[in-house]
Structures are given as C-alpha cells and as structure tokens.
Amino acid sequence: MPDRLGPKRQVPLVERLALVGIGLIGSSIARAVRHIGLAGSVVAADASPEVRRRVEELGLADAVTGDLEEAARDADLVILCVPVGVCGEVAAAMAPGLKAGAIVSDVGSVKGAVVAQVAPHLPAGVHLVPAHPVAGTEHSGPDAGFPTLFLNRWCIVTPPNGTDAAAVATVRAFWEALGSNVEIMTPQHHDLVLAITSHVPHLIAYNIVGTAADLEKVTQSEVIKFSAGGFRDFTRIAASDPTMWRDVFLNNKEAVLEMLGRFNEDLAALQRAIRWGDGEALFDLFTRTRAIRRGIIDLGQETAEPDFGRPRASS
Amino acid sequence: MPDRLGPKRQVPLVERLALVGIGLIGSSIARAVRHIGLAGSVVAADASPEVRRRVEELGLADAVTGDLEEAARDADLVILCVPVGVCGEVAAAMAPGLKAGAIVSDVGSVKGAVVAQVAPHLPAGVHLVPAHPVAGTEHSGPDAGFPTLFLNRWCIVTPPNGTDAAAVATVRAFWEALGSNVEIMTPQHHDLVLAITSHVPHLIAYNIVGTAADLEKVTQSEVIKFSAGGFRDFTRIAASDPTMWRDVFLNNKEAVLEMLGRFNEDLAALQRAIRWGDGEALFDLFTRTRAIRRGIIDLGQETAEPDFGRPRASS
C-alpha cells in the first residue's frame, strides 16, 4: 500500500482544473494536485472573501476568484467542493462559462441528489461525473487540508447511465493519482452504502452528544471530565461541519431513514436483552463486532494501534 | 498537566499490594506501581494459567498465584481487576486470607453492584473502597497494559457511607501517584454518570456495528471498504472485551435503561426532523455539539489533533 503521493508528473492529466469551494476537501485536492503536478493550472473559486484571501496567502492556486462563471471558463475539469445543498445553484451560476467537452465532478457525500440538482443546469456536451472521496477529518476550512488526505482511501464514482467513458476514465485517473482506490457504483447504491457507513454514524454521534449536554442529573462538567470512558470518541465526528451535515441529511432522507430504522430495531432488541438480563445475547453481539474491526484494519482503513494511536505520555 | 509518572519513591505507599486479575487494567497498574516503587511487593493473581505464565515472563509481579486466599494473605491493599460479574465470587474466595485493616478496592465500571456483591463477603475490620479509573483501550490481556494508562485520567472513588477515612485517603493517594485526578462520589451517582459517558456509548457502538454486519442490501465488504466515512470510529469501542461489557450492562441495568430512554427520545426527534426536512433543527444541534468537544480538549481529556492524531502518511 503506498505511503506517499507519487512523484511530480512530466505531463499534467488535465490542462485547467477549477475547484469550487476551498474548505477541507477543496484545499486538500489543491495541495495534492500541485504537489504531483496533476493539472497545468488550478483556479480556486470560493464565495467567501476571507477564504479567497487565505487561499492566496497559502499559495494554493494559480488564480482565485469569487466569480463562478469566470472559474469555469476554459476549465477541462471542474470539481464542486461545496455542501450538497448548494450544488444546484453553484452549477447554474457557472454553467455559462463551461466549454464543450468539460467534465463537471464533485465530492459530495450524497450522490442521487447531486445528479438531480446539477445535471439540469449543464450545457450539452458537458460531462457530469459525480464522485465522493470517502475521507475527511472533523476540521473545516482551507487551513485544515493536507495533500495525503485521500491516500489509501476509497473514492466512489457514480456516473449516470450513458456517461462518456473517456470522462469517467479521466475522473478515475485523477483520484488514483491522489492515491485513492476508485469504485464505480450507481448513485442510489452509493447513497444506501454511505447511509450506514457514514450518515447514520454521524447522526447517532451528534445525537448522543446532544443527549449528554441536556441532562439534569449529570452535569456538563461531569460529562466532559469522564468522557474518556467512550463518549469522547463520539464528539469527534459530532464536531464536523454543521452545514455540510445538515445538507447530507436533507438530501439523503430515504436511505438514512431506512438504515436508521434498522439501527432502532436492533437497539430495541439490545434494550430488551438488558432489561431481561439476557447475557448470552449481549455476549454474542459483543464478540461478533470484533471481526468487523479486524477487517477494516486488515484493509488498511484503520490503524491497528490501540486507542487510534492517540498521543500517549511516556512513563 | 504532568506528562509522565513521578520518580521512584523512597518509601512505598503500601507494603504489600495484591492485584487480582491481570488484564489490561491489572497489568497497567502492575507496571506503573513497579515503575514508581508504589508498593513494597506486588502479588498477582489470575485464574488463567496462560495469563500467570505471561505475567511471570513479563516480570510484572514479585509473586504470581492462582489461589485467591494466598494472594490476599498479608496484603495491605487488594485491587480486584476482574469483570464486574465475578467480583462477588472473587471476594468470597479471597476473604479467608484477608487480614484486619486490609483495604479492598476494585476497578469496575459499575459501582453499586460491586458494593452489593463484595461487601457481604468481607470480614470485619477490612475496608471496602471501590474505585473506577476512567481509562482504557480496546485491547485486552496482560500484554496490552502500559504504565501511563491512568495519567491525566480521572479515577472515581465511591466509598460507602461510614468508610474509614484513612483507607479512602490511601486509595486516593494510590491513584494520584499513578497520575490520576481523583473524584469522590456515591456509587449511585457514579453509575448514572458512567451510563451516559461510557455505557450507552459502548452500547450504540456495538449496536451499529451489528446492524451494519447484518444488512442484505449493503455487503460486509462495502461496510469495511467505506468505513472511513465515520463508521470505523465506532468499531474501536465495539472491539472491547465482551465479558467485561456484558457484565457492565447486566449490572447497571437501571441507569443504562434510563439514559438509553433519553437517547432514544432525542433520536426520534432527529428522525422526525429529517423526515420533515427541518434543516434548522439539524443545524442547531450540529452546532451545539462542537462546544462539548472543545471542553473535553481544553480539559486535557482528548487530543486537539485532527482525526485523533491517527497515523498519517507524509506527502
């Protein structure tokens, strides 16, 4: 498994790359692309003047703009790195600048809704190839990015039926150059898979942190002090970007509700096992769940270090 | 905040320490105690011959035995480091060996049940001072321990009403020497606090890993591959020792069911917000939860590094 990005390329994969939205993901792409020379030039677009100034200070792009039509002009590949809820309006704003043959992609955590919201705005001859790099941290903004964020992670590409094969191949090559494994699936299947591997986990993490904050019999100070018993793990993903996650839940409603239904059903059974003192049922589940973590570690998607390899004092 | 254990002591705090059960916690105590000279001698007891052999190979104690009465003989402080469910029978077995004035403590994650199960077996003149170091990793056994496990963590001490003050002071001094902050509370309040900061988090982590493993529309291979979207975090605590956790739920039933009731109520409200597209309610919760993590980091109970400081490739 590679432990670093490849060497600088002689020939870029795309001549002109436009990144729209320079947060954790957009800025990580910018850093990786410049590191390995994946694009002839990079134009960065962001609605926020502070973000644009920061992108300039960090030297993340060749050009920085707040004008989406300008960002799209002459771009061979445009990647939307904005919350899912604004993909449609962003696509509409940049559409007049897009040239024939351009590829429009994104990094959204929901794919069905992105296709539905972006496709209608794209001119004929522009290829839509949605993608989702399954990678991130709980931090946000252009300072939070780093070039190896996508290394050894999966990137799911979800081309609608009939998408130009060469455009799909370019997007695949792009993510592979960033160190990712690429998997192709339908937007619908993506949304179901991510509902259980990402969306419902985030929802229950946000939920338990909220529950703990609202108790009367246990103080917030106690919750904070004694969080090393397990609770603190949940606060990490419950510190993720609120706008991004609101949009995920609003735009992947059916799949999230379906998976949440399964979660609730199983939790009700566990609750009943506790109430009736069914130790065998508890022990069986608690044994079974170990194998899944082993699989994740074996596949290089998790560290084998205890406690996530959290920094530890020396004796 | 100290970042290492103190220097070796001139005078031990206790003459003879007996540790009963040498897993992650017992072996971490043994390592720390020997590192700083906290006890004149350490006797390690374990029911498993393999564990006893490993304790000898690792040189964790001055004496190793499978006989609890022998382990307790002449001990000034006995610490039970066994699953909560066997505390009562362990106490009964060692009781004949206990001397007057000895202190019996433990490290169990539940305190009301430990008091109820251990106290009846102790001879008059023996002091019961239950304790719970809120620290651990997902690994188990004598090889998993390390001496700084308790550094900067909290240890909750729950002496029953009327407990000898000198005995409580000794247990407090013991854990402070291991680098912990000590807080005194009633067993009942402890069990409520830990239900929300540890037990329910473990339960929902075990539950979602089980739910994900049982789906038909999403394969286990997909769950494993795309786990970096959040799911993998939950697999860590769902890889914790099954016996220990079965016993926690069987022995802290009321508090766990009470906190689980609150969790479920809040989750039902979130589910409804998703179904009805109430983005404002989602955004409000997702913003509120960030403050709790900030408090945990500020108190030194969590790393500020993104992604728990998980090992990251260089570019």
Side-chain angles (χ1 to χ4, degrees), chain A residues 258-271:
Chain A
E258 176 178 343
M259 291 301 171
L260 194 53
R262 294 288 291 250
F263 173 86
N264 280 330
E265 200 174 298
D266 292 343
L267 189 58
L270 264 186
Q271 186 168 0

Side-chain angles (χ1 to χ4, degrees), chain B residues 183-205:
Chain B
E183 184 132 327
I184 308 270
M185 59 177 79
T186 65
Q188 291 64 37
H189 190 62
H190 166 279
D191 289 354
L192 205 58
V193 171
L194 270 289
I196 189 68
T197 61
S198 178
H199 306 171
V200 170
H202 274 77
L203 194 72
I204 63 180

Side-chain angles (χ1 to χ4, degrees), chain B residues 13-14 76-77 103 165-175:
Chain B
L13 176 71
V14 290
D76 302 287
L77 173 60
I103 301 170
V168 176
T170 298
V171 170
R172 172 190 281 273
F174 183 90
W175 285 103

Side-chain angles (χ1 to χ4, degrees), chain A:
Chain A
M1 200 150 26
D3 68 345
R4 51 182 59 232
L5 291 172
K8 192 129 186 158
R9 299 164 62 107
Q10 302 297 315
V11 180
L13 176 72
V14 291
E15 207 36 66
R16 189 173 172 81
L17 169 69
L19 296 172
V20 180
I22 313 295
L24 168 68
I25 301 295
S27 76
S28 292
I29 295 176
R31 286 172 170 96
V33 163
R34 289 170 80 83
H35 190 84
I36 59 174
L38 196 56
S41 66
V42 176
V43 52
D46 201 285
S48 151
E50 298 99 276
V51 169
R52 293 201 297 271
R53 203 191 23 158
R54 196 66 195 125
V55 170
E56 278 170 358
E57 285 165 3
L58 293 167
L60 294 181
D62 300 288
V64 185
T65 179
D67 183 325
L68 294 176
E69 186 177 333
E70 182 189 320
R73 183 123 28 234
D74 294 324
D76 302 287
L77 173 61
V78 179
I79 306 181
L80 310 183
C81 308
V82 296
V84 168
V86 294
C87 273
E89 61 188 84
V90 164
M94 73 182 189
L98 288 167
K99 69 176 178 188
I103 301 170
V104 172
S105 189
D106 77 312
V107 299
S109 304
V110 180
K111 300 266 66 88
V114 165
V115 172
Q117 284 157 31
V118 172
H121 298 292
L122 301 186
V126 169
H127 309 294
L128 175 61
V129 185
H132 176 204
V134 184
T137 78
E138 70 276 25
H139 292 190
S140 313
D143 285 283
F146 53 96
T148 52
L149 178 61
F150 311 108
L151 196 61
N152 298 327
R153 295 280 91 86
W154 255 265
C155 181
I156 303 176
V157 177
T158 63
N161 268 337
T163 305
D164 178 65
V168 176
T170 298
V171 171
R172 172 190 280 273
F174 183 89
W175 285 102
E176 286 176 348
L178 265 45
S180 295
N181 305 301
V182 171
E183 183 133 327
I184 308 270
M185 58 177 78
T186 65
Q188 291 65 36
H189 190 61
H190 167 279
D191 289 355
L192 206 58
V193 171
L194 270 289
I196 189 69
T197 60
S198 179
H199 306 170
V200 170
H202 273 78
L203 194 72
I204 64 180
Y206 278 121
N207 190 63
I208 195 163
V209 177
T211 302
D214 290 344
L215 296 173
E216 309 82 27
K217 291 190 196 167
V218 177
T219 67
Q220 269 205 33
S221 151
E222 287 174 322
V223 166
I224 287 171
K225 271 185 190 170
F226 308 121
S227 61
F231 179 76
R232 64 176 176 165
D233 281 24
F234 293 77
T235 64
R236 187 185 80 78
I237 57 181
S240 300
D241 187 66
T243 305
M244 170 189 160
W245 282 98
R246 177 199 60 198
D247 286 2
V248 165
F249 294 113
L250 296 179
N251 287 283
N252 196 23
K253 192 186 288 195
E254 271 89 54
V256 166
L257 291 176
E258 176 178 343
M259 291 301 171
L260 194 53
R262 294 288 291 250
F263 173 86
N264 280 330
E265 200 174 298
D266 292 343
L267 189 58
L270 264 186
Q271 186 168 0
R272 191 168 188 281
I274 291 172
R275 193 177 299 281
W276 290 91
D278 184 352
E280 210 174 312
L282 298 174
F283 187 84
D284 284 352
L285 172 66
F286 300 173
T287 306
R288 214 151 58 79
T289 48
R290 285 186 146 178
I292 299 262
R293 182 165 180 84
R294 177 50 48 199
I296 294 173
I297 291 170
D298 289 347
L299 205 70
Q301 297 304 299
E302 176 62 293
T303 175
E305 287 279 296
D307 207 19
F308 303 123
R310 274 186 176 106
R312 177 198 291 182
S314 58
S315 58

